[in-house]
Amino acid sequence: MAASYKELKCYFYQLNGTQQIKRHINHYFSKITNQDTIATESISGFDYYITRDIIQQPDYVLFTIAKVNTHEEIKLDDIEKQRRELVDKEDTQGLAIDTQFLYDFKSEILLQKRGQGQINISDLQIFISQKVKINSELVRFDLIKDKEGLEKLDRLNQVHDFVFNVSVPKQLNLFADDVKDINSGIELAKKLSGDSIEIKVHGERLDKRGIWNSVQLLMAYQDKQDMKVTSMSIYGDSEIIDLVKHKLVYYKKIYIEELTTIDIYRFLEEAYANKRDYLKYYEESK
């Protein structure tokens, strides 16, 4: 196989929940290599399991979750004969897509290598909740915003408007009291055959920390409701901050023949080390 450039990208998340829930999750990941077997979990029509490619470090763990589709038929094409044939398989077999993670059970920071068709954060939350036997609605990983967006918000002397626009999902799952007003607005939009809804919060001096917490809640809401936050903006000091664009991301191109799980683990460790100083802000606020 000839070498070529492979693109790698990861997002950063922080565990959100009660101290008791955090202790359960942190304990699970700190002892994950001690388990003889790790059961497969069925979520949203797919099967998920943690592969044996686990690397345990003193403060964090690197692991891979396989997403397997056992229901879809596997077809194999022969480009010379221009023929497609079905592959015989057992009911427990299917095509898999791997996703690599780094979780620091001290800082409660999660890194996810991004890729098409992999496990999403919403299903990951369910997966973890099943492992530690707690309600999945009590587990949340909040997407961490990048330094530029946070610094811009901190620099604002006065914030007077917080505006966001969300698409209307086909089905609405009510899951938390702290977003009941958003749910009510979306229900109204659905009754009126609307495609989206815009919510605006106005005040002479809005609480900046409260806005930042609301941003994290909205991103979790987005994953739960299978919808999209199409815009999210803060207005203050004659400046507009677009928070949809400000995700904390680490990106790299690697010139390599074949990308292995170990290569991706090294990339995640490099990403975590690169953003370590910035992530201390989130560690201190947890």
Side-chain angles (χ1 to χ4, degrees):
M1 183 183 294
S4 62
Y5 281 104
K6 305 290 192 300
E7 296 184 353
L8 293 172
K9 180 170 70 172
C10 71
Y11 286 169
F12 299 74
Y13 299 83
Q14 184 174 38
L15 177 62
N16 194 328
T18 66
Q19 290 303 316
Q20 184 179 13
I21 288 173
K22 288 180 178 180
R23 281 195 296 271
H24 282 305
I25 293 173
N26 292 335
H27 178 76
Y28 175 80
F29 279 111
S30 66
K31 305 295 183 182
I32 194 170
T33 54
N34 296 344
Q35 301 180 63
D36 293 330
T37 59
I38 304 177
T40 299
E41 306 290 350
S42 296
I43 305 166
S44 305
F46 295 93
D47 293 296
Y48 298 94
Y49 69 93
I50 296 178
T51 71
R52 287 298 171 186
D53 304 314
I54 303 171
I55 296 180
Q56 190 91 49
Q57 300 291 2
D59 293 337
Y60 64 88
V61 61
L62 293 149
F63 62 99
T64 299
I65 293 183
K67 175 183 179 180
V68 187
N69 186 348
T70 60
H71 306 290
E72 187 175 344
E73 295 178 331
I74 300 176
K75 300 174 183 178
L76 190 66
D77 277 33
D78 187 319
I79 58 173
E80 290 187 356
K81 298 179 180 178
Q82 296 185 343
R83 183 184 304 167
R84 178 175 298 171
E85 297 179 352
L86 291 178
V87 177
D88 291 332
K89 71 178 188 68
E90 301 295 332
D91 291 340
T92 57
Q93 295 176 322
L95 295 176
I97 299 176
D98 289 344
T99 310
Q100 287 76 23
F101 296 89
L102 182 155
Y103 181 66
D104 187 326
F105 36 84
K106 301 291 186 181
S107 66
E108 296 161 1
I109 299 291
L110 175 79
L111 279 69
Q112 177 195 30
K113 185 260 181 185
R114 300 294 292 178
Q116 289 186 339
Q118 63 185 23
I119 185 172
N120 57 43
I121 287 298
S122 180
D123 286 345
L124 174 68
Q125 291 167 171
I126 297 173
F127 180 86
I128 293 173
S129 69
Q130 291 176 348
K131 292 302 178 191
V132 296
K133 296 179 174 56
I134 57 177
N135 189 332
S136 63
E137 294 184 355
L138 302 178
V139 179
R140 195 172 86 223
F141 282 97
D142 293 333
L143 184 66
I144 294 176
K145 295 295 182 177
D146 74 5
K147 186 175 182 179
E148 184 179 356
L150 184 60
E151 286 183 342
K152 282 186 175 181
L153 177 59
D154 284 340
R155 285 198 300 266
L156 293 180
N157 293 318
Q158 186 175 356
V159 176
H160 53 76
D161 285 294
F162 175 43
V163 184
F164 58 92
N165 189 295
V166 298
S167 63
V168 176
K170 294 180 180 179
Q171 292 184 332
L172 186 64
N173 301 312
L174 306 181
F175 73 97
D177 288 338
D178 43 8
V179 292
K180 61 184 179 181
D181 292 334
I182 302 174
N183 281 326
S184 298
I186 288 180
E187 285 287 15
L188 176 60
K190 286 175 69 69
K191 289 179 181 178
L192 300 176
S193 300
D195 297 322
S196 64
I197 180 171
E198 182 176 275
I199 297 177
K200 179 177 181 179
V201 181
H202 175 77
E204 290 298 321
R205 187 176 292 275
L206 298 179
D207 177 50
K208 292 192 288 185
R209 189 68 198 180
I211 289 176
W212 199 253
N213 291 336
S214 297
V215 169
Q216 303 294 355
L217 181 63
L218 277 168
M219 300 314 293
Y221 180 84
Q222 171 178 251
D223 287 335
K224 286 279 187 179
Q225 300 294 355
D226 189 26
M227 58 143 204
K228 185 177 182 180
V229 177
T230 54
S231 67
M232 189 187 304
S233 302
I234 295 173
Y235 295 76
D237 295 351
S238 301
E239 185 174 2
I240 302 174
I241 303 174
D242 183 352
L243 292 177
V244 171
K245 296 180 180 179
H246 290 292
K247 298 175 183 176
L248 184 63
V249 178
Y250 188 76
Y251 173 84
K252 185 177 183 179
K253 280 188 175 182
I254 300 177
Y255 190 73
I256 197 170
E257 289 186 4
E258 184 177 358
L259 198 60
T260 67
T261 297
I262 296 300
D263 294 323
I264 297 174
Y265 283 170
R266 288 172 180 164
F267 164 74
L268 291 174
E269 289 179 313
E270 178 183 309
Y272 194 40
N274 182 271
K275 303 295 184 182
R276 199 74 181 89
D277 289 341
Y278 173 65
L279 291 169
K280 288 179 181 178
Y281 171 88
Y282 290 86
E283 294 177 38
E284 294 167 358
S285 64
K286 71 185 179 79

